[in-house]
Amino acid sequence: MGECVFGRLDTERLQFNEKSLWRGGPSENRPDYRGGNIKDSYNYLVKMQEALKNRDKKTVAKMKSKLVGIKEGYGSYSAFGNINVKIDHSNVTDYKRYLDIDEGYIKVEYNTSSHQERIHFASFEDKVIVNRFKSEKLDLNLSIFLDIVVEQDKIEYKENTITAFGQLKDNGMKYYAKIVALTDGTISTSNCIKVENASFVDIYLTAKTNYKNEYPTYRGEDPTAEVDNIIDNAIKTGFDSLLERHQEAYRILYNRNSLNLIDKECNLDAPSLLANSVENKEVMLQYEEILYQYGRYLLISSSRGNNLPANLQGVWCDELNPAWSSDYHLNVNLQMCYWHAYVTNLHECAIPMIDYMNSLVKPGRVTAKDYHNIDRGWVCHTQNTPFGWTCPGWDFDWGWSPAASSWMMQNMYDYYLYTQDKEFLRDNIYPTVKENAIFWINNLKYDENQDRYVSSPSYSPEHGPVSIGNTYEQEIIYELFKMTLDMAKVLNDEDKYIENIKIIIDKIQPYSVGNWGQVKEWFEEDDWIKNVRFKNFYYKRHKAVIHHRHMSHLLGLYPYNYLSRDNIDLFNAAKVSIDHRGLGAQGVDGSGWSKVNKTCLWARLKNGENAQAQLDNFLHKNIANNLWDLHPPYQMDGNCGFTAAIGEMLIYSGDNYIELLPAIPSLWKNGNVSGICAKGGHEFSYSWENGQLNSLTISSKFVKKVKIYVNYNTAKYFNKNIGEIVEVEVNND
Ligand code: FUC
């Protein structure tokens, strides 16, 4: 659950969500629900592949409209409800509303004739949202209303309790919400709970549905007993212990990693922070520090335990029909929500995402069969719900993306690379990754013209055009195969599929350099753009957007490592591409997530100044007053991607080495970071002065040698021309 605290003085609004409250999926109204898949679509795939080979544009266009899924049953995430607290405080002074990110709660403070304080937190430990209203005198008078946004069967008010039961019309999903008010004042109940003459009122809330992430029914037990139990336990535990338990659990995660870019406390409120950071560089550093931790805070608060992963709006969605259904988008967004999880020491928060991907295997087999005629292997396309929606979208141009599922496999595999937990790899990661790789073994076609195994048709996310073996898909498939081989080695798996991958992996060849020195996005690009002087014109002719927000052809730069400095020609070509697509340092696409994605790319290009310039642009154009990233609307991916981007500027985990301070800008003259992680199971704490590494502590669960580059790149910004490579023996101390 999550809650948005508005901090109002007349009627306070506490707007809450529960992650599984979704319309769509299996339902009595939809007895034929099959995750959007349309049977026998494979026939069109064959025709599409033929048409692409023969450059038969008419048939390609026709087949595009056939290679889609249905829309009915997709559904949407939804706001759950509001606790409205009528309080009527006037003549207020010294008003403050803030998230105390170190303490893990929200506070509202002000003075009327007495001092008033409110504390709000959502406890993962005790499964309850706690709201305390407190006064220094016995003068609190308030009324509590529960407003449920979705269809309701019944709301009951009884003494200090309000309960709401309901069932969504669309899919019959049952829900149950309960609030209880505890106070030292007097209580009377009618169509609300009225409290008078109190010094405190604690409102506990729990809400649940009967959703269960289990194919094919996606239903579990009626939630009533569990909710009652949770509230009873919360009452027994009491406010002080609930807060203590919440903070203890929160701090374990939050305190693991800290970043210091300036030794000065920030006393500005969020809007002033945003406004002042344009001119004042010290404020900019404070802003970056805060937003770095805010991305971690959002993930800690929306992705824990045995639950669904964070969706596009985490657990902070106040609409019935949010943009993109506030779903799971796999063509960059879900990946980005989790990019910072490992590097900023929050690997536990990735587990809901891993569980979710594992849950797509069974429905994804249906898609593999219906659209690709494949009996062994699973796949899913661009967008997903909690109900195994694995088909292509209902429009080919954004909906067809079989490699989207495979891109997510990197988010899964990184769990192992950062934690080195072999058992977890064997039980929770490898089977899903391997079966996705098997899908591709069966789905790739050998193309004589390109002399490669290719994905066909392929489509750059939200960009296109439809082509054979575009860079996005080839790169993802290549990396998928590579990681499968690496995992097979760790787990001693030598079966026939692994042997197959070994044979074809060298014939995937994702990258090539085009005739104006760029990393090509499409294999055919050189054919289209013969006269380089008119490349922008040719782009338009092929309906490609010059400054498109998706940087799909540069996945090899970030998040993968293919286009690294070890591969210098491609590395340089990547620079040409990002300059063209992103318009140099500034970038022109408005969406928040795209700007932080470009920051990650500049960080990988070791260009701290351009990375900072992208961040400036993002921070001043895409951040709301409450620090949410605006696509617009609010999308959590941009906030998380921001944290990942800062992480990339601080540390790079290459295949065989680690680089510290790979892309810090001159603005970050001095600083320190603690508890930042690298692949291989290492945790680093270090400080820098004048851009040079100053102190370093490494801790690792394993005795290993690590090759570390320090000051290799930043040296040049600070007029030093040395880069150092050290080989460090890491031991258990
Ligand atoms: C991708 C992006 C859009 C948006 C959507 C949720 O499709 O291209 O910009 O972020 O996800």
Side-chain angles (χ1 to χ4, degrees):
M1 288 183 295
E3 184 178 88
C4 289
V5 175
F6 285 67
R8 291 178 182 162
L9 297 169
D10 43 4
T11 300
E12 169 61 310
R13 180 178 174 203
L14 306 169
Q15 184 268 315
F16 63 94
N17 288 100
E18 200 272 354
K19 235 190 270 174
S20 65
L21 191 74
W22 265 80
R23 299 188 298 279
S27 162
E28 272 179 20
N29 311 331
R30 276 186 297 272
D32 301 333
Y33 177 82
R34 300 176 72 248
N37 293 297
I38 302 173
K39 271 194 178 149
D40 299 326
S41 295
Y42 172 66
N43 297 325
Y44 303 119
L45 182 79
V46 176
K47 286 186 185 148
M48 168 70 102
Q49 288 169 339
E50 275 302 298
L52 275 170
K53 240 184 188 172
N54 303 331
R55 302 188 179 222
D56 169 1
K57 283 191 184 162
K58 248 190 181 165
T59 312
V60 167
K62 241 199 210 154
M63 289 308 113
K64 267 171 60 173
S65 63
K66 300 285 184 193
L67 284 173
V68 291
I70 55 165
K71 191 173 182 180
E72 166 59 21
Y74 190 72
S76 176
Y77 184 49
S78 171
F80 205 125
N82 300 283
I83 306 175
N84 294 318
V85 183
K86 198 165 176 305
I87 197 160
D88 281 338
H89 273 155
S90 50
N91 299 328
V92 163
T93 58
D94 306 313
Y95 179 90
K96 268 198 245 168
R97 175 184 61 146
Y98 57 95
L99 163 67
D100 191 325
I101 200 165
D102 295 325
E103 297 294 331
Y105 54 59
I106 289 169
K107 251 194 188 182
V108 179
E109 286 180 75
Y110 55 91
N111 293 321
T112 51
S113 50
S114 52
H115 181 68
Q116 304 288 319
E117 194 178 282
R118 306 177 193 168
I119 297 186
H120 308 269
F121 58 93
S123 165
F124 171 72
E125 284 305 289
D126 290 294
K127 314 284 174 239
V128 68
I129 290 179
V130 176
N131 302 283
R132 164 162 281 196
F133 292 72
K134 199 172 154 224
S135 169
E136 61 182 355
K137 295 190 195 149
L138 280 166
D139 61 356
L140 255 183
N141 296 307
L142 50 82
S143 306
I144 307 162
F145 300 81
L146 179 62
D147 150 44
I148 297 293
V149 179
V150 289
E151 310 87 293
Q152 47 187 277
D153 294 344
K154 216 186 327 169
I155 290 206
E156 279 180 1
Y157 297 82
K158 205 169 157 199
E159 293 161 17
N160 65 344
T161 306
I162 311 177
T163 48
F165 306 81
Q167 211 165 350
L168 302 187
K169 265 203 203 98
D170 174 78
N171 59 11
M173 183 185 278
K174 285 186 186 162
Y175 70 82
Y176 177 49
K178 183 170 191 171
I179 60 178
V180 63
L182 306 171
T183 179
D184 58 353
T186 49
I187 285 195
S188 53
T189 312
S190 54
N191 68 337
C192 66
I193 300 173
K194 197 167 177 193
V195 182
E196 286 169 302
N197 305 324
S199 74
F200 78 92
V201 183
D202 292 343
I203 307 170
Y204 299 161
L205 157 74
T206 286
K208 276 199 171 293
T209 72
N210 67 340
Y211 171 79
K212 189 171 184 195
N213 193 2
E214 217 167 79
Y215 176 81
T217 59
Y218 297 100
R219 287 295 179 277
E221 283 175 22
D222 183 288
T224 321
E226 200 187 341
V227 167
D228 286 342
N229 215 358
I230 288 169
I231 291 285
D232 288 350
N233 282 338
I235 295 170
K236 273 186 221 138
T237 310
F239 179 86
D240 291 341
S241 302
L242 285 170
L243 179 59
E244 207 174 290
R245 283 163 56 78
H246 162 67
Q247 289 188 310
E248 206 176 302
Y250 172 76
R251 285 188 190 125
I252 287 175
L253 298 169
Y254 180 76
N255 287 348
R256 277 186 196 156
N257 171 220
S258 71
L259 171 67
N260 212 338
L261 296 175
I262 178 159
D263 272 332
K264 214 175 192 186
E265 278 285 302
C266 177
N267 295 317
L268 296 170
D269 59 26
S272 319
L273 184 69
L274 265 67
N276 293 5
S277 63
V278 180
E279 298 293 335
N280 186 330
K281 292 300 164 206
E282 285 193 351
V283 176
M284 178 55 133
L285 292 172
Q286 292 174 331
Y287 187 8
E288 288 182 337
E289 265 180 19
I290 288 173
L291 217 68
Y292 175 79
Q293 289 297 14
Y294 191 55
R296 299 184 67 239
Y297 168 84
L298 290 177
L299 193 71
I300 294 172
S301 308
S302 63
S303 187
R304 312 262 287 279
N306 180 18
N307 277 301
L308 288 165
N311 61 42
L312 282 172
Q313 301 197 323
V315 279
W316 302 280
C317 164
D318 76 337
E319 289 182 79
L320 257 183
N321 292 302
W324 289 285
S325 301
S326 195
D327 63 9
Y328 301 106
H329 250 68
L330 306 192
N331 65 7
V332 71
N333 316 85
L334 188 62
Q335 285 86 345
M336 190 179 281
C337 285
Y338 287 88
W339 277 346
H340 65 320
Y342 308 117
V343 66
T344 74
N345 222 328
L346 296 176
H347 64 271
E348 296 93 332
C349 295
I351 289 176
M353 174 272 296
I354 294 172
D355 288 347
Y356 178 68
M357 292 314 298
N358 286 332
S359 79
L360 295 182
V361 171
K362 282 185 186 162
R365 286 176 186 154
V366 178
T367 305
K369 182 68 190 164
D370 286 356
Y371 290 82
H372 306 267
N373 199 24
I374 282 170
D375 292 317
R376 184 89 209 270
W378 75 276
V379 67
C380 70
H381 289 256
T382 308
Q383 54 171 21
N384 299 262
T385 70
F387 308 111
W389 188 276
T390 46
C391 69
W394 47 89
D395 186 332
F396 183 95
D397 284 351
W398 53 261
W400 183 268
S401 192
S405 51
S406 316
W407 186 2
M408 284 303 303
M409 298 301 95
Q410 191 217 8
N411 287 73
M412 291 180 70
Y413 181 43
D414 275 358
Y415 184 98
Y416 168 72
L417 291 180
Y418 279 83
T419 61
Q420 300 287 302
D421 185 340
K422 249 195 214 178
E423 217 172 287
F424 192 86
L425 176 74
R426 188 193 59 217
D427 299 341
N428 298 293
I429 299 172
Y430 187 57
T432 295
V433 177
K434 183 176 171 188
E435 196 174 323
N436 192 247
I438 293 171
F439 165 81
W440 282 108
I441 295 174
N442 291 323
N443 191 51
L444 287 171
K445 296 269 167 287
Y446 179 72
D447 183 285
E448 280 154 24
N449 199 21
Q450 301 188 6
D451 187 24
R452 303 187 297 170
Y453 284 96
V454 293
S455 160
S456 174
S458 65
Y459 199 87
S460 266
E462 322 256 345
H463 192 192
V466 59
S467 72
I468 301 176
N470 71 14
T471 304
Y472 167 77
E473 301 208 0
Q474 296 297 115
E475 163 67 353
I476 290 174
I477 297 160
Y478 172 82
E479 297 289 348
L480 173 71
F481 283 172
K482 185 166 165 262
M483 72 178 74
T484 309
L485 292 181
D486 291 348
M487 286 184 240
K489 207 165 165 194
V490 173
L491 298 171
N492 297 321
D493 179 6
E494 289 173 352
D495 83 3
K496 67 171 194 242
Y497 292 111
I498 300 304
E499 288 313 307
N500 282 343
I501 293 175
K502 284 184 189 158
I503 294 164
I504 55 178
I505 188 166
D506 290 334
K507 281 274 183 203
I508 305 293
Q509 294 155 9
Y511 283 105
S512 51
V513 177
N515 61 15
W516 43 282
Q518 84 285 23
V519 162
K520 288 201 293 187
E521 182 160 2
W522 308 279
F523 190 83
E524 299 93 330
E525 211 167 304
D526 283 345
D527 294 343
W528 306 344
I529 309 174
K530 290 231 166 72
N531 187 337
V532 173
R533 270 192 358 181
F534 299 118
K535 65 176 183 293
N536 292 356
F537 167 76
Y538 285 102
Y539 249 79
K540 279 191 187 131
R541 196 164 124 198
H542 287 273
K543 296 209 169 61
V545 182
I546 299 161
H547 301 129
H548 197 273
R549 63 192 177 286
H550 282 265
M551 307 296 289
S552 308
H553 51 323
L554 296 183
L555 291 190
L557 190 58
Y558 183 87
Y560 299 118
N561 288 344
Y562 197 107
L563 304 175
S564 73
R565 208 161 34 190
D566 308 330
N567 220 336
I568 198 71
D569 290 345
L570 287 173
F571 187 73
N572 288 333
K575 277 187 203 161
V576 175
S577 285
I578 187 176
D579 260 329
H580 183 243
R581 171 64 64 80
L583 258 201
Q586 287 310 306
V588 285
D589 186 281
S591 53
W593 67 258
S594 177
K595 289 180 189 170
V596 294
N597 190 4
K598 286 172 198 140
T599 311
C600 294
L601 296 170
W602 282 120
R604 284 286 172 97
L605 287 167
K606 323 287 177 200
N607 191 329
E609 299 310 315
N610 281 5
Q612 176 65 39
Q614 274 292 339
L615 287 187
D616 270 19
N617 187 315
F618 170 75
L619 292 171
H620 296 128
K621 295 201 176 127
N622 296 81
I623 294 292
N625 275 347
N626 67 348
L627 303 187
W628 276 353
D629 155 63
L630 299 177
H631 180 292
Y634 161 56
Q635 277 185 203
M636 186 171 143
D637 46 23
N639 283 106
C640 297
F642 175 88
T643 305
I646 299 259
E648 278 308 311
M649 292 158 81
L650 292 167
I651 191 164
Y652 168 67
S653 287
D655 286 344
N656 308 309
Y657 61 88
I658 289 156
E659 190 170 339
L660 302 181
L661 306 176
I664 58 166
S666 49
L667 181 66
W668 298 4
K669 205 169 168 218
N670 305 318
N672 59 70
V673 60
S674 75
I676 198 160
C677 299
K679 288 176 189 167
H682 313 295
E683 200 178 305
F684 293 83
S685 297
Y686 47 92
S687 65
W688 65 95
E689 247 181 61
N690 286 324
Q692 300 287 292
L693 194 74
N694 195 29
S695 66
L696 171 65
T697 312
I698 309 173
S699 69
S700 175
K701 291 179 207 130
F702 312 95
V703 181
K704 258 191 189 169
K705 267 195 175 168
V706 206
K707 196 187 226 184
I708 302 170
Y709 285 68
V710 289
N711 305 335
Y712 186 87
N713 187 63
T714 55
K716 71 172 181 276
Y717 293 113
F718 296 93
N719 295 325
K720 303 243 169 79
N721 50 15
I722 41 147
E724 295 165 41
I725 301 171
V726 288
E727 218 163 330
V728 184
E729 190 89 47
V730 183
N731 61 37
N732 287 328
D733 304 325

